[in-house]
């Protein structure tokens, strides 16, 4: 693939795309439709998995993480010739793509009709499918556009663009911290830009200034690569003063299987054990929660981790166009 070929990765048959916007159905979305369980983000934060869009406004990344399931070759193009859609167009495309991806469930006998109809009216978006979303030049406006549609936003970033993240106020902001030191970062993350590590540190300071945005640091634990020095991780985390820290096992799937052996995938018990070691150095984050099915642990300042507006019978759900008061009065 040449540098000028454009965003070829949106040609992946598992993606649906419009211009530079791509969406893909999460496995937990399908599970939730069939009544077979929900994502850990439902358990901890209140997200309804069957009503959550997994999308990206740009299929390009400036890191080459060894644990990433994606094909790095799909990110090797330049952005200079991309004709960017405006935020409203990206929102419209995301909703259309989600409905198209889930349309087949309408004829599935395992899916209750009410649940399917709800899925056609998404209320959440995870801006996290592929690429680095801060490379989309109108990201703050995109987040506002989703909020204007009464859709909550979970933004996931690698922290290489602190200036952009300073302008973003999603419902919940995730930043990946996959190494506690520069040497491990260079080996595991393999950033394209020389200043990526310094920018990640600056992003921690940006997060510390976020008063109205819930912040999460997320670490993918890769056996034999970055599961060491829990005190260093804790010190790095504390610089950002996050609301939550998620530590999750690397999963041996996709293109990562060509870079890592299967034994790099930790058992859930190993994830929890390392999380306990980190917690020893983070006295403000005394609550530890876990979801074994996802091999993930959460360190929190409080046991009450749900997004407040997502609690049952809230105004957010009262405005629901499928089941709430909005439908009854309009």
């Amino acid at each position: 693939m040449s540098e000028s070929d454009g965003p070829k990765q949106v040609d992946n048959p598992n993606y649906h795309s419009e211009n530079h916007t791509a969406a893909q159905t999460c496995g937990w979305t399908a599970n939730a439709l069939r009544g077979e369980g929900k994502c850990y983000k439902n358990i901890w934060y209140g997200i309804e998995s069957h009503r959550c869009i997994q999308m990206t406004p740009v299929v390009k990344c400036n890191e080459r993480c060894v644990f990433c399931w994606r094909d790095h070759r799909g990110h090797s193009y330049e952005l200079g010739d991309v004709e960017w859609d405006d935020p409203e167009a990206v929102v419209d495309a995301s909703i259309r793509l989600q409905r198209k991806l889930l349309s087949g469930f309408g004829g599935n006998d395992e899916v209750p009709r009410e649940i399917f109809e709800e899925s056609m009216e998404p209320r959440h978006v995870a801006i996290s499918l592929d690429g680095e979303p801060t490379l989309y030049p109108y990201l703050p406006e995109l987040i506002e556009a989703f909020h204007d549609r009464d859709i909550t936003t979970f933004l996931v970033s690698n922290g290489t663009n602190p200036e952009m993240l300073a302008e973003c106020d999603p419902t919940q902001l995730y930043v990946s911290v996959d190494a506690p030191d520069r040497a491990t970062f260079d080996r595991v993350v393999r950033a394209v830009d020389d200043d990526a590590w310094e920018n990640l540190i600056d992003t921690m300071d940006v997060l510390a200034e976020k008063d109205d945005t819930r912040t999460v640091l997320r670490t993918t634990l890769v056996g034999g690569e970055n599961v060491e020095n829990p005190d260093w991780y804790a010190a790095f985390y504390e610089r950002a003063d996050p609301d939550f820290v998620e530590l999750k096992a690397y999963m041996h799937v996709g293109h990562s299987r060509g870079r890592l052996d299967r034994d790099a995938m930790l058992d859930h018990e190993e994830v929890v054990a390392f999380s306990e070691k980190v917690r020893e150095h983070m006295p403000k984050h005394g609550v530890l929660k876990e979801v074994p099915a996802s091999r993930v642990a959460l360190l929190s300042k409080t046991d009450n981790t749900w997004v407040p507006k997502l609690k049952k019978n809230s105004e957010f759900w009262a405005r629901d166009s499928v089941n709430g008061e909005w439908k009854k009065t309009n």
Side-chain angles (χ1 to χ4, degrees), residues 10-30:
V10 299
D11 292 338
N12 183 313
N14 294 319
Y15 287 6
H16 283 200
S17 63
E18 293 187 18
N19 195 10
H20 54 81
T21 300
Q24 181 184 33
T25 304
C26 172
W28 287 108
T29 299

Side-chain angles (χ1 to χ4, degrees), residues 280-300:
E280 292 175 4
H281 303 281
M282 299 184 69
K284 291 194 296 183
H285 292 74
V287 175
L288 188 150
K289 297 188 175 187
E290 53 183 291
V291 179
S294 297
R295 304 191 190 196
V296 62
L298 177 76
L299 302 181
S300 172

Side-chain angles (χ1 to χ4, degrees), residues 101-115:
L101 283 160
L102 298 181
S103 60
F105 285 96
N108 190 326
D109 293 338
E110 298 178 3
V111 178
R113 190 66 194 178
E114 179 182 355
I115 298 300

Side-chain angles (χ1 to χ4, degrees), residues 174-187:
Y174 286 76
V175 173
S176 298
V177 176
D178 298 306
D181 61 89
R182 178 62 184 265
T184 305
F185 181 85
D186 288 344
R187 184 177 69 250

Side-chain angles (χ1 to χ4, degrees), residues 1-6 60 64 72-78:
M1 178 185 302
S2 71
E3 290 294 309
S4 60
D5 276 348
K60 179 179 174 64
R64 303 290 183 264
H72 293 328
R73 293 174 299 175
H75 299 140
S76 60
Y77 65 95
E78 298 298 328

Side-chain angles (χ1 to χ4, degrees), residues 40-108:
Y40 72 88
K41 294 183 181 69
N42 170 263
I43 299 170
W44 290 343
Y45 308 127
I47 292 296
E48 290 293 344
S49 302
H50 68 297
R51 306 189 71 177
C52 182
I53 305 170
Q54 181 183 227
M55 59 77 65
T56 180
V58 54
V59 187
K60 179 179 174 64
C61 191
N62 52 3
E63 294 183 340
R64 303 290 183 264
C65 299
V66 296
F67 55 81
C68 183
W69 59 266
R70 303 161 183 88
D71 183 354
H72 293 328
R73 293 174 299 175
H75 299 140
S76 60
Y77 65 95
E78 298 298 328
L79 294 175
D81 296 330
V82 175
E83 295 184 4
W84 297 110
D85 289 335
D86 65 54
E88 291 292 341
V90 173
V91 173
D92 288 339
S94 300
I95 295 172
R96 281 195 299 269
L97 293 169
Q98 180 77 348
R99 288 171 175 167
K100 185 176 181 180
L101 283 160
L102 298 181
S103 60
F105 285 96
N108 190 326

